[in-house]
Amino acid sequence: MGKAPGKLNELASLAGKWLGLSAAAPERHTAAVVADRFEQIAWRDTYEQSAGLRELAKELNERYDYTTDLLTDAFLAAYKVSPRLRERAEMAPSRLVNHQVITSLVESMEFTELRRETAGDPYAAAMAVLAQAAALRRILERSGDAQEQAERAKKAQQDAEGAATAVGEALQRAADEDGTVPAPAADAVQQAIETAEAAEAVARQAAQEAAQALAAAAPGIRAAARNAAAKAAEATREEAALMRAWGVDSGELERMPFDQRARLAERLRTSRLAEWAELIGRFRQMASGERARKVENAAGELVGVTLGNDLSRVIPCELANLGLPELRAVFAARYAAGELMLYDSQGEQTTGQGAIIACVDTSHSMYEAGPGGVTREAWAKACALALLDQARHAKRDFVGILFSAADKIQVFRFPAGPPAGIARVLDFAETFLGGGTSYQRPLTAAGELLEEEFNDAARTRGDIVLITDDECGVTEEWMRGWNDAKHLLGFRVFGVAIGAPRAAEADSVLDALCDNLRSIEDLTDVHAAADLFRVI
């Protein structure tokens, strides 16, 4: 009886290592990126809204293991401002390949560039994941051996943990109520310990082989990850630039539902106007620059001295009188009489107050391409969209009138108050009527709109910009009515003859219709229209 407790103590001492392993097995994580609850919600919401992400996950899961976890990590790494990765020792063996992929991404300079576009923006982060899809497929295919070894390590680790648990269970069964250990029970404990030792050795070998396989795959994973991040960064930058070119700001994008934003991006990428985005962006930049240079109510070029009471133009010697108490009364009297000496200037024509109306020719010939492959239509639409920006900036209504033959006209109205709406803007930009050319129909429509505005809001001095590549006649009767309308409503007409020198000649119909006419030969030159944005 006295030896039994000693035997039990011996067994307990031998089994202690396995009892400790069974009780204190470390937690193994399946996610490489540490994320809080709100970031996880952002991923789930984005995944539910993005058909592309779901389709990619389904495709990859049919061929590879744990790819949904990989996509989650890739999304969070792009979405988080400062992603933090778990240590490799904290990862479940089966997710070590995922951990290596995400580590390679996050450590690359290309991914740092990518996060400038994606951090805090779930849509952009999702687009970045989709942009990396091809690279992720190649990585998973080339990492097959490493993943296979990781699976073996996972199985060996599970076997070792199971064997450690079995030691504890055998030891518990070995102790009788009186503390004695029967020989068969002692043998069972000893056998369980030997099994655990063998399982531990197998697990250790499997882990070593998995580490070697992963190390062999790591250079290829790093190179592919850098390329994936670079392509994703390029794709997100291109989409951001495309949105900016079309006047969609980041605030509007953040408020836009995921599906709507995805459809908009697809429309901008695949539209026949997608290749015009760079031209549209340059037009908008040029127009913005002209607005920045233009000072409201500026005096213009100095040409002499005159009399008046405009304090913004008083010459310095008059202002000096204010510094002498005895002359202040004289200054006040001369101000009241309008006899102060002022700088006289000759400035540009006063900008309008009424609507800006762009009449854009969309006849068949406008489809022809000029230098650099830019079509006349592209130049005209880009100019018109910049005029829309001009109208929004000045809080003026904008109307786009697309015309061709007398029976073909389409009117797009953009009131000054509500947002223009990118879908409506795209409809205006994409519409092309084809056919011949008629001036009378679009100009009559423009005049009627300005008359309507005058009757409703008593606003005059609207601006009409006629952009065309053709020359066509108008009747004398119509011309008389047109001149009467101009006199009554005080609107101005600017003409742009695109690639049509004859239309810009001094005796042309277009010259007779317009107060300000210019000819555009180089369709890559946006600055040829700069003076429009200085005076409109």
Side-chain angles (χ1 to χ4, degrees):
M1 292 291 294
K3 291 185 178 180
K7 182 64 174 175
L8 183 59
N9 289 339
E10 262 181 57
L11 289 175
S13 177
L14 290 173
K17 172 183 176 181
W18 312 110
L19 297 178
L21 288 177
S22 176
E27 181 184 4
R28 300 289 180 167
H29 295 278
T30 58
V33 179
V34 179
D36 61 30
R37 182 166 59 91
F38 298 104
E39 291 161 345
Q40 292 169 349
I41 290 173
W43 159 250
R44 287 196 296 270
D45 289 347
T46 305
Y47 185 81
E48 290 173 3
Q49 294 176 57
S50 173
L53 284 177
R54 295 195 301 274
E55 290 170 4
L56 177 61
K58 179 180 178 182
E59 174 205 336
L60 295 179
N61 281 330
E62 289 174 353
R63 300 181 58 190
Y64 310 104
D65 295 324
Y66 319 118
T67 51
T68 300
D69 289 337
L70 177 61
L71 296 182
T72 304
D73 282 331
F75 171 87
L76 291 171
Y79 176 68
K80 289 170 65 71
V81 175
S82 300
R84 182 170 69 86
L85 304 188
R86 289 189 168 89
E87 297 295 329
R88 179 177 296 187
E90 299 178 78
M91 298 298 297
S94 58
R95 306 306 200 280
L96 288 176
V97 171
N98 287 3
H99 185 273
Q100 180 64 58
V101 173
I102 299 303
T103 300
S104 299
L105 277 174
V106 170
E107 291 178 350
S108 69
M109 290 296 296
E110 293 82 358
F111 201 76
T112 301
E113 292 293 321
L114 173 64
R115 280 207 307 275
R116 292 178 182 174
E117 302 289 344
T118 61
D121 186 340
Y123 172 87
M127 293 302 101
V129 173
L130 293 174
Q132 296 174 86
L136 291 177
R137 291 187 192 96
R138 289 193 297 272
I139 289 173
L140 291 170
E141 183 176 351
R142 294 172 183 174
S143 304
D145 181 59
Q147 187 61 50
E148 183 178 341
Q149 294 292 346
E151 289 297 325
R152 291 175 183 169
K154 171 189 172 183
K155 178 64 167 58
Q157 183 181 1
Q158 290 173 340
D159 291 344
E161 290 172 355
T165 301
V167 171
E169 293 172 349
L171 184 62
Q172 187 175 7
R173 289 192 299 270
D176 288 340
E177 291 182 2
D178 58 0
T180 60
V181 181
D187 291 341
V189 172
Q190 188 63 41
Q191 182 63 42
I193 292 173
E194 292 173 1
T195 301
E197 289 174 344
E200 182 193 35
V202 171
R204 191 165 48 248
Q205 179 65 26
Q208 184 177 356
E209 291 173 356
Q212 291 171 347
L214 189 59
I221 292 175
R222 282 194 291 270
R226 285 196 301 270
N227 290 335
K231 289 182 179 179
E234 181 181 2
T236 53
R237 281 195 300 267
E238 286 179 354
E239 182 167 312
L242 196 60
M243 294 293 184
R244 286 193 297 270
W246 284 97
V248 187
D249 60 37
S250 57
E252 184 178 355
L253 288 176
E254 289 174 4
R255 294 189 298 271
M256 196 176 291
F258 188 95
D259 288 344
Q260 182 182 347
R261 184 170 171 181
R263 288 193 300 269
L264 172 60
E266 181 66 15
R267 184 177 181 183
L268 292 180
R269 281 193 300 267
T270 59
S271 160
R272 68 187 184 88
L273 301 182
E275 60 191 275
W276 301 355
E278 192 270 339
L279 178 67
I280 292 168
R282 285 198 291 122
F283 250 106
R284 283 193 153 118
Q285 279 188 326
M286 180 272 295
S288 177
E290 292 300 323
R291 283 196 297 272
R293 288 174 52 192
K294 181 170 65 175
V295 179
E296 296 298 330
N297 303 314
E301 180 184 1
L302 296 178
V303 295
V305 176
T306 186
L307 299 179
N309 59 4
D310 185 349
L311 296 178
S312 67
R313 294 160 52 200
V314 175
I315 67 175
C317 65
E318 288 277 23
L319 290 174
N321 292 335
L322 289 175
L324 301 173
E326 59 271 20
L327 293 180
R328 288 174 186 170
V330 176
F331 182 93
R334 294 182 65 186
Y335 171 74
E339 295 178 352
L340 294 174
M341 286 189 293
L342 312 176
Y343 284 122
D344 193 11
S345 62
Q346 181 176 333
E348 293 174 334
Q349 189 174 1
T350 307
T351 56
Q353 294 178 338
I356 297 176
I357 301 180
C359 296
V360 181
D361 187 351
T362 60
S363 61
H364 179 73
S365 58
M366 290 288 286
Y367 200 70
E368 296 177 5
V374 179
T375 66
R376 297 172 179 180
E377 180 200 9
W379 195 97
K381 295 285 183 62
C383 182
L385 291 174
L387 287 169
L388 169 58
D389 284 352
Q390 191 85 345
R392 308 302 292 182
H393 178 79
K395 297 179 174 57
R396 298 168 66 183
D397 292 348
F398 176 82
V399 182
I401 298 179
L402 305 179
F403 70 92
S404 56
D407 60 340
K408 291 185 177 181
I409 186 173
Q410 194 159 344
V411 178
F412 293 82
R413 304 184 70 163
F414 299 90
I422 183 61
R424 184 71 170 160
V425 171
L426 288 176
D427 289 341
F428 167 63
E430 289 182 309
T431 300
F432 188 82
L433 302 177
T437 306
S438 170
Y439 291 164
Q440 289 187 192
R441 180 80 187 279
L443 291 177
T444 297
E448 290 172 350
L449 288 167
L450 291 176
E451 182 178 9
E452 176 186 329
E453 184 180 41
F454 173 74
N455 292 334
D456 290 346
R459 282 201 296 267
T460 58
R461 288 169 38 211
D463 291 310
I464 298 173
V465 182
L466 177 59
I467 308 175
T468 182
D469 72 335
D470 205 353
E471 172 76 349
C472 68
V474 295
T475 67
E476 290 185 10
E477 180 182 1
W478 181 89
M479 195 68 178
R480 285 194 296 271
W482 174 252
N483 288 330
D484 289 342
K486 282 186 67 178
H487 178 73
L488 174 65
L489 301 173
F491 60 78
R492 299 174 298 177
V493 182
F494 299 84
V496 182
I498 303 180
R502 185 170 61 88
E505 292 175 358
D507 59 348
S508 68
V509 172
L510 196 57
D511 180 62
L513 288 170
C514 298
D515 305 303
N516 182 313
L517 176 63
R518 82 282 333 279
S519 177
I520 305 299
E521 295 297 329
D522 183 359
L523 300 184
T524 64
D525 181 13
V526 300
H527 295 281
D531 61 321
L532 278 176
F533 300 94
R534 284 196 295 271
V535 297
I536 291 180

